[in-house]
Amino acid sequence: MSAPAPVRAHAGTARRSLAHAVQRVTASPLGAYQSAVVRIGVSATYLLFLLRELPHRHELYGPDGPWSWDMARRLISNNDAFTVLMWSDSPLWFETVYVITLVSAALLMVGWRTRGTSVVFMAGVLSLQNRSIFMGDGGDNVIHLMALYVVLTRCARVWSLDARRAARDAGRLVDGGGPARDVAGPVLWAVLGCVLLPASLMGGLGGTWWLPSLLWVLWLGNGGWWALNRYAPGHELRAFLDVLANFAHNASLLVIMAEVCLIYATAGWYKVQGSRWQDGTAIYYPLKLDYFTPWPGLSGLLASSALAIMLLTYATVIVQVAFPFTLFNRRVKNVLLVLMIGEHAGISVLLGLPFFSMAMVAADAVFLPTAFLVWLGHRVSFCRHRLFDRSAGRLRLPRQRRAAPDDGEPTHSGSDSGHTLVG
């Protein structure tokens, strides 16, 4: 006995919807601009943090810190955390790890060999933070999480050196040529393999099973990806790896969004339970702490207004609690997103927490509208072209200024000089 026609039609519609959903999350990486902004924001935040703490690095994470190397080793033996700083207590090794982390943050920000530099950046972030876990704050926790998620995203599809190189290779293929010779990629892959193998054999990847597994899957997968893309770009296995990469990217992007919602939801609901947040005076007290008042005059001016304190206190709670519920209404979500970014800007200035605010804004960027990001990219590119055009005009030699266009003198232009992250 066959099922009724409405039931069969409903089942067919459900199957088509499921097939469409599967195709959507595997056919292409979603949120290319959003993931690029998260990559740039997270790496830039940590780069600036490492540069600011460069004079104090030994006290924070190094041999001169209050949390000694022996104390860190005993703690890590209990919590199975990962940090390469436990491989040696040599000051030279600490300096090497610090510099490599700093350089990897800069390379990840500009999008150079993102697959490799994102792994090195993640290892550097985990190593420094797990070395002295009592030195961080909420912003460090956000960087810690985002460094893990960025590894699994295809965050260099736009606004990166990798995207520029891919566009050049595509242009060569259109012209009938082949991709440019790749030397840096295989060398970086081989160097990372030479570090990964002894670290795995000697138990230097922490006490968990997932981190060594993740690193080996990434290393082997990227080696196979490069070989197939170079010598058999039309092979079915190449397409299968592309599907896996798209799925991992989209899943990671979903996790980032859920993580941001969880941060705001828990923060908001915990605030609701506090008596100072209920009576509207919670923001007043940090404005009176010397540790959180880099601008005493500005903090005092705000603290002197009871109405402003009450409005800011209640608005903070309302925005944080309501934001996860507004994701399905684009207009309301965008309004609350602007308010939250403004809130973090105020925290950065009034409370002297710039890196916490930068980390949160970088995480919030996953919800920014694509149309706005595309417009912003065009504006930055336009400003860059104008800046380079004016610079080229100022740097021309006098003889070149007097030359006529048909005199055979080269005409210098800044439109094709340098690199833009948004071009």
Side-chain angles (χ1 to χ4, degrees):
M1 182 177 180
S2 61
V7 175
R8 292 198 303 270
H10 180 73
T13 303
R15 286 195 296 268
R16 286 193 297 270
S17 300
L18 179 61
H20 177 73
V22 172
Q23 182 182 12
R24 182 166 177 79
V25 299
T26 58
S28 62
L30 305 176
Y33 290 93
Q34 287 81 358
S35 60
V37 174
V38 172
R39 182 201 85 230
I40 295 170
V42 169
S43 56
T45 300
Y46 208 63
L47 173 64
L48 293 176
F49 173 78
L50 294 178
L51 289 175
R52 191 194 71 170
E53 301 299 342
L54 195 61
H56 315 291
R57 62 190 184 279
H58 293 151
E59 290 77 13
L60 285 174
Y61 308 113
D64 299 333
W67 194 251
S68 67
W69 190 84
D70 290 331
M71 295 171 66
R73 183 178 60 180
R74 288 197 295 269
L75 177 63
I76 288 173
S77 64
N78 294 326
N79 62 14
D80 295 328
F82 164 77
T83 170
V84 299
L85 291 177
M86 289 296 100
W87 295 0
S88 172
D89 60 351
S90 169
L92 179 60
W93 175 243
F94 167 75
E95 297 289 355
T96 302
V97 173
Y98 196 94
V99 170
I100 290 176
T101 306
L102 196 150
V103 172
S104 67
L107 294 178
L108 181 63
M109 183 179 66
V110 299
W112 183 84
R113 306 290 174 176
T114 312
R115 284 294 182 184
T117 53
S118 63
V119 175
V120 178
F121 175 74
M122 176 195 70
V125 170
L126 297 182
S127 297
L128 293 176
Q129 293 187 357
N130 290 338
R131 166 63 176 83
S132 301
I133 61 174
F134 302 107
M135 298 295 179
D137 55 19
D140 292 320
N141 293 333
V142 174
I143 295 294
H144 189 112
L145 293 171
M146 295 302 148
L148 291 170
Y149 302 146
V150 165
V151 170
L152 298 176
T153 62
R154 306 184 73 174
C155 55
R157 305 279 291 192
V158 296
W159 300 349
S160 68
L161 296 178
D162 288 348
R164 187 180 71 167
R165 187 178 65 256
R168 288 179 175 177
D169 288 342
R172 292 188 182 94
L173 292 176
V174 171
D175 295 337
R181 183 183 178 185
D182 188 9
V183 177
V187 169
L188 180 61
W189 182 80
V191 170
L192 293 178
C194 292
V195 176
L196 181 60
L197 180 59
S200 300
L201 295 177
M202 299 175 64
L205 298 179
T208 60
W209 63 267
W210 64 267
L211 182 60
S213 302
L214 173 63
L215 294 178
W216 276 109
V217 167
L218 290 173
W219 189 76
L220 294 173
N222 279 280
W225 184 303
W226 182 90
L228 288 171
N229 197 48
R230 189 74 176 181
Y231 301 107
H235 197 274
E236 293 181 357
L237 185 57
R238 168 67 176 79
F240 176 70
L241 290 178
D242 202 35
V243 167
L244 289 181
N246 292 334
F247 179 77
H249 166 90
N250 294 328
S252 300
L253 212 60
L254 179 62
V255 171
I256 293 175
M257 297 168 69
E259 191 73 49
V260 174
C261 291
L262 182 63
I263 290 173
Y264 283 117
T266 53
W269 285 109
Y270 272 111
K271 287 182 175 64
V272 168
Q273 303 174 40
S275 59
R276 294 293 176 263
W277 291 96
Q278 293 175 6
D279 60 27
T281 61
I283 290 182
Y284 172 83
Y285 298 98
L287 294 176
K288 290 299 183 178
L289 296 176
D290 293 338
Y291 188 77
F292 293 107
T293 52
W295 310 99
L298 184 60
S299 300
L301 179 63
L302 180 60
S304 64
S305 174
L307 178 61
I309 292 294
M310 184 186 66
L311 291 177
L312 288 175
T313 301
Y314 287 146
T316 299
V317 175
I318 292 172
V319 168
Q320 291 183 351
V321 171
F323 179 73
F325 300 100
T326 63
L327 296 182
F328 299 102
N329 189 312
R330 183 175 301 177
R331 293 183 178 179
V332 179
K333 182 262 296 182
N334 291 338
V335 171
L336 291 187
L337 193 60
V338 172
L339 293 177
M340 288 194 301
I341 293 176
E343 173 192 341
H344 291 305
I347 292 174
S348 174
V349 175
L350 292 173
L351 301 183
L353 297 171
F355 297 110
F356 167 77
S357 299
M358 289 179 64
M360 288 305 303
V361 171
D364 294 342
V366 73
F367 294 107
L368 289 175
T370 302
F372 168 75
L373 293 176
V374 173
W375 172 85
L376 181 64
H378 287 315
R379 295 304 303 172
V380 173
S381 181
F382 174 74
C383 294
R384 185 198 71 87
H385 286 308
R386 294 197 62 179
L387 177 63
F388 274 85
D389 287 341
R390 292 178 180 179
S391 301
R394 288 195 298 267
L395 293 176
R396 285 198 191 102
L397 296 176
R399 181 173 58 85
Q400 291 175 320
R401 291 195 193 98
R402 291 193 300 266
D406 56 350
D407 285 342
E409 293 290 344
T411 303
H412 297 276
S413 173
S415 59
D416 59 349
S417 62
H419 168 67
T420 173
L421 291 177
V422 296

